[in-house]
C-alpha cells in the first residue's frame, strides 16, 4: 500500500521561506531605518492617504462600470401589446433576485437552470391554468429563444467587458486554480511578515482588506449584471414569442406586401409600384364632414370626388399616398358614421388593421353624439385586443372658416391670441371637440379644406402625421408579423408534410440497405 502524500511538503516550505526571507528582511530593515530617521510617521500618513485615494478612485470606477452596465440593460419592447407589460415586470422581478452566490459561473448548469426559470416565469403568465406551461413551447421556438438571447448577450459581453474576446473558458478555470495556489503561498508570506515586522503587516492587512473589498465589489457587480442580463434577454424573447411577435424566419417582414394590402393596391392599379408594405391610413368621420376633401388636400390635387349630398362615399376607397419624407401609404376614404352605408362592426375591424386613423369633425356641427358613440366603441374594441397596440388617432376640425365672424377669413391665425375673435372661436371649437370626443387637445387640429382656401393642412396637420410616423411604422410591423406568421404556419406545414412523404418513400430502401449490412 502506498503512503499517503503529505499535505505540506517540508522541503517546498523551506524553499518558499528562503525565497521570501530576503524580501521580508528588506521590509523589516526599511521600517527600522524609517523609525531611526524620524520618517516613520510621514510614511504611515502617506500610506494612509494613498490608500484612501486609491479606495476612492476604485469606488468611482465601480460606479462608472455599474452605470455602463445599466446603460446596456435590456429594455421592454415598445411594440409589445399591453398584456406584455405585467409579464415584463415579472421578468425584471426575477432578474433582481439573481445573486452571484446562488449562481456560480464555474457551475455550467446555471445556463440551463436560470434560463428555464426565466422561461417558466413568462410561460406561467400566458398559461396560468397549465401545471407545466413550459411544455407548451415548440422545440424550434425554444431553440430560437436561446439563440436570440445568446446572440445579444454575446454582443453585450464583447462590447462591455475588457479582454472578453481574448480570455477562454479554460483560462478562467486555470486562473481559478492558480488563485487557490497563490493564496496559499501568500498566507505563508503574511505569517512571516507578522513575525518580522508587525506594524507593517498590520497596515498591509488593512490595505489588502480595502483593496479586496473594492475588487470583489466590482467582480460581483459584473457577475450580477451578467446573470440579470441573461434572464432579461431570455424573458424578452419569450414574451416576443408568446405575444406572437417572434417568427422563425429572419427576413424583414415589411419588405413584402401583405395579401390585404395587395388586394387594395389592385384597386388603385399601382400594385407594381409597391415594393414594401404600405402604411394603412383610415379617414373616418360623419357624412359631409370633409373626409374626401381632406384626402384631396393631403395629395394637393383632386383624388376623390366631393359632393354636398350626404353619404356620397358608399364603401372604402383606397388611394396611394406618396410624399417626400413619408413612407408610402394607402389612405382610405370611408362612408360617414351616420350614413346608412356605414357598417359599424366591419368598420371596427377595418380600424383595427389601420396604422393611423384620421377623424374629421366639422366645427359648425355641435351634435357629436354619433361621433362619440363610434369612437367609444373603437376605443373599447382596441382595449379588448390586448395582443395589439392601438393605432394613433388624430382629429381634424373642418369648416373653421364658417365660425363667427363667418365673413372674416384672413389666415394664418394665432390660436393663443384671445383678442382676435376668429382665433378665439377656433380655439373654443378645438377645446369643445376635444372634450366631446374624449381626445387630447394636442391631437385636435383645426383646418380649412375649401378649394383655394386650404389652411393648416400642409404644415400643422402634416407635421402631426410625420410625428406619429414612427408609431405607425411599429403598428405596421406588428401587422406584418401577424400576416407573416399566418402564412408561415401553412408554409411550414407543407414543408413538413413533404419531408414526411419523402421519408416514408425512402424508408423501404433504407431498411433494405440496413438488412444487407
Amino acid at each position: 500500500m502506498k503512503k499517503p502524500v503529505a499535505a505540506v511538503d517540508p522541503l517546498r516550505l523551506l524553499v518558499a521561506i528562503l525565497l521570501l526571507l530576503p524580501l521580508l528582511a528588506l521590509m523589516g530593515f526599511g521600517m527600522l531605518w524609517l523609525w531611526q530617521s524620524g520618517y516613520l510617521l510621514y510614511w504611515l500618513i502617506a500610506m494612509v492617504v494613498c490608500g484612501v485615494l486609491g479606495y476612492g478612485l476604485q469606488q468611482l470606477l465601480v460606479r462608472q462600470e455599474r452605470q455602463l452596465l445599466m446603460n446596456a440593460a435590456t429594455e421592454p419592447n415598445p411594440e409589445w401589446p399591453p398584456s406584455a407589460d405585467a409579464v415584463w415586470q415579472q421578468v425584471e422581478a426575477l432578474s433582481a433576485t439573481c445573486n452571484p452566490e446562488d449562481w456560480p459561473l464555474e457551475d455550467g448548469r446555471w445556463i440551463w437552470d436560470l434560463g428555464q426559470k426565466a422561461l417558466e416565469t413568462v410561460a406561467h403568465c400566458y398559461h396560468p391554468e397549465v401545471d407545466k406551461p413550459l411544455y407548451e413551447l415548440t422545440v424550434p421556438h425554444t431553440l430560437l429563444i436561446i439563440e436570440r438571447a445568446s446572440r445579444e448577450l454575446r454582443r453585450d459581453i464583447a462590447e462591455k467587458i475588457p479582454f472578453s474576446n481574448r480570455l477562454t473558458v479554460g483560462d478562467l478555470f486555470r486562473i481559478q486554480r492558480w488563485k487557490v495556489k497563490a493564496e496559499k503561498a501568500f498566507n505563508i508570506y503574511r505569517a512571516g511578515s507578522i513575525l518580522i515586522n508587525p506594524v507593517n503587516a498590520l497596515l498591509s492587512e488593512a490595505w489588502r482588506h480595502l483593496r479586496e473589498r473594492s475588487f470583489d465589489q466590482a467582480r460581483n457587480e459584473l457577475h450580477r449584471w451578467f446573470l440579470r442580463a441573461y434572464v432579461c434577454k431570455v424573458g424578452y424573447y419569450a414574451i416576443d414569442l408568446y405575444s406572437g411577435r417572434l417568427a422563425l424566419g429572419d427576413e424583414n417582414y415589411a419588405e413584402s406586401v401583405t395579401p390585404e394590402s395587395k388586394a387594395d393596391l389592385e384597386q388603385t392599379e399601382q400594385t407594381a409600384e409597391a415594393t414594401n408594405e404600405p402604411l394603412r391610413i383610415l379617414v373616418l368621420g360623419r357624412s359631409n364632414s370633409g373626409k374626401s376633401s381632406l384626402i384631396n388636400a393631403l395629395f394637393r390635387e383632386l383624388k376623390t370626388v366631393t359632393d354636398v349630398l350626404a353619404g356620397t362615399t358608399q364603401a372604402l376607397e383606397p388611394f396611394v399616398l406618396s410624399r417626400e419624407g413619408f413612407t408610402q401609404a394607402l389612405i382610405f376614404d370611408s362612408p360617414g358614421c351616420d350614413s346608412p352605408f356605414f357598417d359599424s362592426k366591419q368598420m371596427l375591424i377595418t380600424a383595427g388593421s389601420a396604422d393611423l386613423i384620421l377623424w374629421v369633425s366639422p366645427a359648425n356641427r355641435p351634435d357629436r353624439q354619433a361621433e362619440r358613440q363610434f369612437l367609444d366603441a373603437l376605443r373599447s374594441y382596441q382595449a379588448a385586443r390586448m395582443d395589439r397596440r392601438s393605432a394613433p388617432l388624430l382629429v381634424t376640425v373642418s369648416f373653421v372658416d364658417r365660425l363667427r365672424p363667418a365673413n372674416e377669413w384672413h389666415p394664418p391665425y394665432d390660436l393663443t391670441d384671445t383678442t382676435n375673435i376668429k382665433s378665439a372661436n377656433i380655439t373654443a371649437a378645438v377645446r369643445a371637440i376635444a372634450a366631446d370626443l374624449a381626445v387630447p387637445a394636442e391631437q385636435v387640429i383645426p383646418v380649412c379644406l375649401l378649394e383655394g382656401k386650404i389652411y393648416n393642412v400642409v404644415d400643422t396637420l402634416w407635421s402631426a402625421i410625420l410625428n406619429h410616423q414612427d408609431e405607425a411604422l411599429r403598428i405596421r410591423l406588428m401587422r406584418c408579423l401577424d400576416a407573416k406568421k399566418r402564412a408561415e404556419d401553412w408554409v411550414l406545414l407543407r414543408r413538413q408534410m413533404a419531408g414526411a412523404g419523402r421519408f416514408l418513400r425512402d424508408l423501404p430502401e433504407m431498411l433494405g440497405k440496413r438488412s444487407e449490412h
Side-chain angles (χ1 to χ4, degrees):
M1 184 176 179
K2 293 183 179 180
K3 295 177 61 178
V5 180
V8 178
D9 189 347
L11 186 59
R12 292 181 182 275
L13 180 60
L14 179 60
V15 171
I17 292 175
L18 291 175
L19 291 175
L20 292 174
L21 190 59
L23 180 61
L24 294 174
L26 179 63
M27 294 179 63
F29 287 126
M31 292 292 295
L32 179 62
W33 180 83
L34 288 172
W35 177 70
Q36 291 177 345
S37 303
Y39 296 132
L40 182 61
L41 180 61
Y42 300 107
W43 179 84
L44 292 175
I45 294 174
M47 184 175 180
V48 171
V49 171
C50 290
V52 171
L53 291 176
Y55 181 75
L57 290 175
Q58 180 65 25
Q59 290 297 314
L60 179 62
L61 289 174
V62 169
R63 284 196 294 269
Q64 289 179 349
E65 291 174 355
R66 183 186 299 134
Q67 184 62 41
L68 182 64
L69 295 176
M70 288 178 61
N71 293 337
T74 305
E75 297 293 336
N77 192 340
E79 298 166 355
W80 283 340
S83 58
D85 296 340
V87 186
W88 180 250
Q89 292 177 4
Q90 294 287 333
V91 172
E92 289 186 321
L94 174 63
S95 69
T97 63
C98 294
N99 295 315
E101 300 81 12
D102 301 329
W103 304 96
L105 296 183
E106 57 269 18
D107 184 358
R109 293 176 300 176
W110 74 270
I111 297 178
W112 170 248
D113 292 343
L114 193 56
Q116 181 180 3
K117 199 169 183 180
L119 284 174
E120 286 178 344
T121 299
V122 176
H124 182 71
C125 293
Y126 285 96
H127 298 283
E129 72 286 351
V130 180
D131 293 335
K132 295 182 177 180
L134 191 59
Y135 293 168
E136 300 299 316
L137 280 175
T138 65
V139 174
H141 282 108
T142 304
L143 295 175
L144 183 59
I145 290 173
I146 297 173
E147 173 197 334
R148 295 284 180 88
S150 301
R151 182 179 64 188
E152 287 206 5
L153 193 58
R154 170 186 56 80
R155 183 185 60 196
D156 288 345
I157 290 175
E159 293 178 355
K160 306 299 180 183
I161 301 179
F163 306 111
S164 59
N165 60 324
R166 297 291 183 182
L167 288 174
T168 65
V169 176
D171 292 335
L172 296 177
F173 283 109
R174 284 190 288 272
I175 289 171
Q176 186 68 23
R177 289 197 298 268
W178 278 106
K179 178 185 175 185
V180 175
K181 295 180 180 180
E183 285 179 348
K184 291 180 180 179
F186 185 67
N187 288 335
I188 298 173
Y189 163 76
R190 290 166 60 194
S193 177
I194 292 174
L195 293 175
I196 296 176
N197 193 341
V199 176
N200 181 69
L202 182 62
L203 292 173
S204 297
E205 285 295 314
W207 167 236
R208 185 182 65 83
H209 175 72
L210 290 176
R211 186 178 64 250
E212 288 185 351
R213 181 179 175 185
S214 297
F215 285 120
D216 287 345
Q217 185 179 1
R219 182 186 60 191
N220 288 337
E221 286 287 339
L222 182 60
H223 190 171
R224 185 176 289 105
W225 168 83
F226 184 74
L227 294 174
R228 294 182 177 181
Y230 178 70
V231 169
C232 287
K233 291 188 183 301
V234 172
Y236 180 97
Y237 286 109
I239 294 174
D240 258 3
L241 171 64
Y242 280 105
S243 59
R245 303 295 179 257
L246 188 61
L248 292 174
D250 292 326
E251 60 270 22
N252 188 341
Y253 305 106
E255 289 183 354
S256 57
V257 182
T258 61
E260 184 181 20
S261 295
K262 187 175 295 185
D264 294 325
L265 286 167
E266 288 177 354
Q267 295 186 44
T268 65
E269 299 180 355
Q270 298 190 40
T271 309
E273 298 180 11
T275 57
N276 296 333
E277 171 68 12
L279 286 176
R280 298 177 67 87
I281 303 175
L282 180 61
V283 181
L284 294 170
R286 67 194 304 166
S287 302
N288 282 338
S289 60
K291 300 187 298 298
S292 301
S293 298
L294 175 63
I295 293 175
N296 290 333
L298 290 173
F299 278 97
R300 299 181 183 177
E301 58 183 89
L302 184 63
K303 285 288 183 179
T304 177
V305 178
T306 59
D307 204 310
V308 295
L309 297 177
T312 299
T313 304
Q314 300 181 6
L316 285 174
E317 297 182 34
F319 304 91
V320 176
L321 176 61
S322 298
R323 292 190 61 169
E324 184 179 355
F326 190 71
T327 303
Q328 187 182 57
L330 274 171
I331 187 167
F332 295 85
D333 197 2
S334 64
C337 63
D338 54 350
S339 165
F341 305 106
F342 188 82
D343 186 342
S344 180
K345 292 183 179 180
Q346 183 60 40
M347 199 58 65
L348 287 176
I349 298 175
T350 303
S353 63
D355 306 317
L356 176 66
I357 298 174
L358 300 178
W359 187 274
V360 185
S361 182
N364 60 335
R365 295 285 301 273
D367 52 326
R368 303 185 182 97
Q369 293 82 0
E371 299 179 58
R372 176 62 181 268
Q373 183 179 0
F374 179 78
L375 283 176
D376 286 343
L378 176 59
R379 283 187 278 259
S380 299
Y381 177 78
Q382 291 173 332
R385 299 182 65 193
M386 297 297 290
D387 62 335
R388 180 76 67 86
R389 294 281 180 184
S390 301
L393 171 71
L394 293 175
V395 176
T396 58
V397 182
S398 59
F399 299 118
V400 293
D401 56 304
R402 298 185 183 182
L403 296 174
R404 293 182 302 162
N407 295 329
E408 178 191 329
W409 184 244
H410 304 291
Y413 288 99
D414 181 6
L415 300 186
T416 62
D417 183 8
T418 56
T419 60
N420 186 290
I421 300 177
K422 192 75 168 185
S423 62
N425 286 332
I426 293 175
T427 301
V430 167
R431 292 175 179 173
I433 290 176
D436 291 344
L437 303 184
V439 177
E442 60 270 16
Q443 294 176 214
V444 181
I445 302 165
V447 296
C448 180
L449 303 173
L450 290 178
E451 188 176 354
K453 294 184 178 181
I454 302 297
Y455 166 67
N456 225 25
V457 174
V458 296
D459 41 17
T460 306
L461 177 59
W462 190 247
S463 296
I465 293 175
L466 290 176
N467 289 337
H468 286 83
Q469 181 176 205
D470 289 342
E471 186 179 358
L473 288 173
R474 289 195 292 268
I475 302 295
R476 183 191 69 168
L477 175 61
M478 295 302 100
R479 180 170 53 78
C480 292
L481 268 173
D482 290 341
K484 185 65 178 179
K485 281 181 65 64
R486 290 193 299 269
E488 184 181 74
D489 290 340
W490 287 106
V491 171
L492 288 176
L493 181 59
R494 288 196 297 269
R495 290 177 181 174
Q496 291 162 359
M497 296 300 293
R502 286 191 295 269
F503 175 78
L504 293 175
R505 182 196 63 191
D506 299 337
L507 183 59
E509 182 180 351
M510 290 187 294
L511 292 176
K513 290 181 179 180
R514 289 184 181 179
S515 62
E516 292 176 1
H517 292 291

